[in-house]
Amino acid sequence: MAHLRNAFVLLTALALVSCADKGHQNGKLKESLLQQLKNSNSDENWFAPIHVAVTGVTAEQASWRDTTENHSIGQLASHLAFWNERVLKSFQGNKPPDFQGSNDSTFRQLDERQWSAIQTRLDSIQKKIEEVVSNGTDEQLEEWAPTINNLCMHNAYHTGQMVYIRKRNGWWRAHS
């Protein structure tokens, strides 16, 4: 199963890189970056975006883990919100606070209230990043493009893990 999950994640990442390169070659960097952001957050295209992966997940489901080494859906959402918010602050011209913790500390286990809040927060962060990119200058977009590409691949990687958990447990939609 791990090999299938890893293959899915790799194919998703390659699709994002391919889309980014194609958009940049056509001189449409802003449109390409915005489409990547939307594809990783809300627009279901080649793969399920974050919004689709977390919608309909209960707090109990969001806390489920198969082993202590693997993360829950809630932990993955917490991790994405943490790092994506730091990117957003940077794009807004603000220095993110110093981070002294380990990456592991960003995978927080969430209770029911926190699960609902993280879903809203993650969606808000993603939409704000789209807004900032939409209003970005050509110079900013050139500077931000590598970060946006990595952010979208990171989102797709962890969203694939969320979808895998949902499918494994029969929590995914019936027609998929």
Side-chain angles (χ1 to χ4, degrees):
M1 284 293 190
H3 295 293
L4 290 174
R5 182 177 55 217
N6 291 339
F8 170 78
V9 170
L10 178 61
L11 288 173
T12 302
L14 290 173
L16 281 171
V17 171
S18 173
C19 290
D21 289 344
K22 182 179 178 185
H24 186 60
Q25 289 170 359
N26 292 335
K28 299 180 182 180
L29 182 58
K30 183 180 285 191
E31 291 84 5
S32 177
L33 295 174
L34 285 170
Q35 192 59 56
Q36 281 186 72
L37 288 165
K38 289 176 184 174
N39 286 349
S40 77
N41 182 52
S42 58
D43 291 358
E44 190 164 10
N45 199 332
W46 285 36
F47 54 90
I50 298 168
H51 182 76
V52 171
V54 299
T55 297
V57 174
T58 67
E60 182 180 347
Q61 291 169 337
S63 295
W64 181 90
R65 293 170 65 178
D66 62 347
T67 68
T68 56
E69 294 97 38
N70 292 327
H71 298 108
S72 68
I73 292 172
Q75 287 174 310
L76 294 165
S78 168
H79 172 76
L80 289 175
F82 177 86
W83 290 113
N84 291 359
E85 187 169 51
R86 292 178 68 81
V87 169
L88 172 62
K89 287 179 189 229
S90 175
F91 286 178
Q92 291 173 326
N94 302 313
K95 184 181 184 303
D98 287 338
F99 179 60
Q100 301 300 322
S102 72
N103 188 51
D104 289 342
S105 70
T106 67
F107 292 94
R108 293 183 34 243
Q109 193 68 353
L110 309 171
D111 63 25
E112 189 169 341
R113 182 190 56 78
Q114 292 167 325
W115 171 238
S116 178
I118 205 72
Q119 288 174 294
T120 301
R121 183 171 151 224
L122 185 54
D123 190 56
S124 174
I125 291 165
Q126 293 303 114
K127 287 178 180 173
K128 287 177 185 173
I129 291 172
E130 289 174 23
E131 182 180 319
V132 169
V133 169
S134 181
N135 294 321
T137 65
D138 289 344
E139 293 79 21
Q140 287 172 317
L141 296 176
E142 286 290 334
E143 179 185 332
W144 297 343
T147 300
I148 293 168
N149 288 334
N150 286 326
L151 179 137
C152 291
M153 286 189 285
H154 185 238
N155 288 347
Y157 173 76
H158 289 305
T159 300
Q161 292 174 311
M162 292 176 193
V163 170
Y164 174 79
I165 292 168
R166 290 187 67 179
K167 286 184 175 187
R168 179 195 186 282
N169 290 302
W171 305 332
W172 193 240
R173 50 194 177 204
H175 68 281
S176 290

